[in-house]
């Protein structure tokens, strides 16, 4: 495992000077000592861009074949649990809440700068639980709106509470990961800081209860909610993910995504090396490439996501002065059951 480090003396200094030459020279050394195959588990929706963009770049540099298994984060977790001690996957790309479960079961190998030299170049908040995993991209959450019926875009999370939108608002269920920031945004509107709103959600719940007259529906199935938005039955969905809303916009749907003045929330797209997995040098090399400038620059635009590497600029349409709120996913994991119970009692009836 440490072979990767020993084959690349002074690599970070060289990279900072703008050269990718060391990576190119070191990569074959990695591949020489390994079977040239790496199994990566991720979301089914990742498969097109992994196979079109990531795999060709990685395979050319390292001479190793990428086999991508696309499914859901929880299914990947089950695979890791069932294969503990005899893993066949080496890398997982999963949501942060599922990463937390994997850490608790001792299924992940920590990332370090020695094994993934791009790790120190990530934005604050991109590495979690002492480096057990890192975020390589982050879709952002704003307010999606129908651009035909709303000539003036929303500018604040408070807009969905405006009485003139009675029966025109859709929100995600709290069982959906993208629904959680509603609690925190509502807490901010009630006068609580975003940090405190994540620790104590009482103010957020009370504020959300006032939204009921404006609700058209609460969704658990995202495509159905966007159908209502695109047809003009709903005027706004809050929050909505950039990776879905802006993809629909690019496909010609009459919708757009606004970044509220209070800030947007970053969603979790994590990557980690599986403990006791095969080809670990290649696994760390894969993670390192995903955290690097070259791949993030290629992926941020097409996936409508924020890059986590400091050097890669924000995607088009998201101003540099928009605040990006990071979510404390460890706190979410600890409190989510309690929150969902209260949500079912106060919002879903």
């Amino acid at each position: 495992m440490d072979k990767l480090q020993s084959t690349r003396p002074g690599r970070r200094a060289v990279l900072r000077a703008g050269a990718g030459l060391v990576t190119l020279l070191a990569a074959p050394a990695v591949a020489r000592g390994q079977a040239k195959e790496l199994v990566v588990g991720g979301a089914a929706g990742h498969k097109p861009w992994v196979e079109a963009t990531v795999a060709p770049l990685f395979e050319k540099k390292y001479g190793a074949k990428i086999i991508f298994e696309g499914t859901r984060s929880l299914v990947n977790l089950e695979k890791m649990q069932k294969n503990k001690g005899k893993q066949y996957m080496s890398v997982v790309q999963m949501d942060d809440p599922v990463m937390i479960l994997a850490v608790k079961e001792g299924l992940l190998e920590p990332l370090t700068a020695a094994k993934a030299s791009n790790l120190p170049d990530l934005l604050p908040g991109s590495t979690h639980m002492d480096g057990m995993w890192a975020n390589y991209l982050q879709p952002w959450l704003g307010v999606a709106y129908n651009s035909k019926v709303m000539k003036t875009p929303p500018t604040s999370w408070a807009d969905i509470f405006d009485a003139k939108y009675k029966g025109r608002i859709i929100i995600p269920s709290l069982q959906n990961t993208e629904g959680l920031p509603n609690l925190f945004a509502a807490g901010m509107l009630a006068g609580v800081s975003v940090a405190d709103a994540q620790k104590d959600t009482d103010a957020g719940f009370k504020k959300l209860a006032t939204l009921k007259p404006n609700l058209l529906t609460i969704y658990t199935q995202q495509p159905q909610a966007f159908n209502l938005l695109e047809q003009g039955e709903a005027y706004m969905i809050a929050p909505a993910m950039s990776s879905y809303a802006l993809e629909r916009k690019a496909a010609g749907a009459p919708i757009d995504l606004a970044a509220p003045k209070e800030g947007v929330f970053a969603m979790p797209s994590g990557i980690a090396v599986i403990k006791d997995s095969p080809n670990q040098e290649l696994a760390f090399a894969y993670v390192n490439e995903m955290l690097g400038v070259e791949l993030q620059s290629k992926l941020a635009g097409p996936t409508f996501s924020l890059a986590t590497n400091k050097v890669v600029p924000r995607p088009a349409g998201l101003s540099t002065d928009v605040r990006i709120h990071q979510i404390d996913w460890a706190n979410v994991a600890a409190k989510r059951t309690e929150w969902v119970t209260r949500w079912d009692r106060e919002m879903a009836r």
Side-chain angles (χ1 to χ4, degrees):
M1 194 182 307
D2 293 335
K3 184 179 176 182
L4 184 62
Q5 181 187 8
S6 64
T7 56
R8 293 189 285 184
R11 179 172 180 271
R12 282 179 52 73
V14 178
L15 282 174
R16 287 199 178 100
L21 181 59
V22 171
T23 299
L24 291 170
L25 292 174
V30 172
R32 277 197 297 271
Q34 304 289 343
K36 295 184 177 182
E37 185 175 285
L38 192 72
V39 182
V40 178
H46 296 175
K47 192 175 180 67
W49 56 258
V50 168
E51 293 186 346
T53 304
V54 179
L57 181 146
F58 189 84
E59 291 172 1
K60 183 177 181 181
K61 278 190 176 182
Y62 296 89
K65 176 71 175 176
I66 297 296
I67 299 174
F68 186 81
E69 293 193 355
T71 176
R72 294 184 293 114
S73 292
L74 285 174
V75 173
N76 279 318
L77 178 63
E78 290 173 4
K79 291 179 183 176
M80 295 158 63
Q81 292 167 329
K82 290 179 180 177
N83 293 293
K84 193 170 186 178
K86 48 182 175 44
Q87 303 285 353
Y88 73 94
M89 294 192 303
S90 294
V91 176
V92 280
Q93 297 172 200
M94 305 194 299
D95 292 341
D96 286 22
V98 184
M99 288 289 193
I100 292 170
L101 300 176
V103 172
K104 289 181 177 178
E105 296 196 32
L107 295 168
L108 302 182
E109 192 74 32
L111 303 174
T112 64
K115 297 170 183 172
S117 59
N118 289 318
L119 198 64
D121 298 330
L122 301 185
L123 292 166
S126 303
T127 306
H128 305 276
M129 298 184 79
D130 298 323
M132 295 308 293
W133 79 92
N135 295 131
Y136 56 96
L137 290 173
Q138 293 180 319
W140 55 276
L141 290 170
V143 178
Y145 63 99
N146 185 303
S147 52
K148 282 188 176 178
V149 297
M150 290 186 64
K151 301 304 180 187
T152 302
T155 59
S156 167
W157 292 103
D159 287 349
I160 64 173
F161 290 86
D162 193 316
K164 67 183 178 183
Y165 297 122
K166 183 178 181 180
R168 297 294 187 180
I169 304 301
I170 295 178
I171 60 175
S173 166
L174 214 61
Q175 296 185 32
N176 292 50
T177 301
E178 73 270 22
L180 290 162
N182 259 338
L183 266 181
F184 315 142
M188 283 196 295
L189 295 177
V192 181
S193 72
V194 67
D196 289 341
Q198 295 191 53
K199 295 174 185 173
D200 184 351
T201 54
D202 187 60
F205 271 111
K206 289 177 178 175
K207 178 65 178 178
L208 275 180
T210 68
L211 184 63
K212 285 185 175 183
N214 281 10
L215 292 180
L216 174 63
T217 188
I218 298 173
Y219 82 79
T220 55
Q221 300 296 322
Q222 189 173 230
Q224 296 170 2
F226 271 83
N227 283 341
L228 292 170
L229 183 68
E230 293 173 20
Q231 292 165 7
E233 291 295 319
Y235 286 12
M236 288 183 271
I237 297 177
M241 279 193 293
S242 58
S243 55
Y244 195 95
L246 294 178
E247 184 179 71
R248 293 298 306 147
K249 177 188 176 184
I255 63 172
D256 208 340
L257 186 66
K261 63 184 180 183
E262 296 89 357
V264 301
F265 291 86
M267 285 294 283
S269 292
I271 189 165
V273 173
I274 300 173
K275 190 174 183 179
D276 299 324
S277 60
N279 302 319
Q280 290 221 335
E281 290 183 30
L282 278 174
F284 281 108
Y286 180 92
V287 171
N288 194 49
E289 292 295 342
M290 291 289 282
L291 303 181
V293 174
E294 184 175 7
L295 268 181
Q296 290 202 9
S297 297
K298 291 178 183 292
L299 295 174
T303 60
F304 305 102
S305 299
L306 299 162
T308 57
N309 192 295
K310 297 172 187 173
V311 177
V312 183
R314 292 184 177 186
L318 190 62
S319 171
T320 55
D321 59 1
V322 172
R323 188 176 179 186
I324 297 171
H325 301 298
Q326 300 290 340
I327 296 173
D328 182 351
W329 292 106
N331 180 59
V332 169
K335 301 285 187 61
R336 190 168 186 171
T337 300
E338 172 191 333
W339 294 346
V340 170
T341 299
R342 182 170 178 178
W343 172 271
D344 289 342
R345 186 174 65 244
E346 298 183 8
M347 293 297 295
R349 294 180 180 173

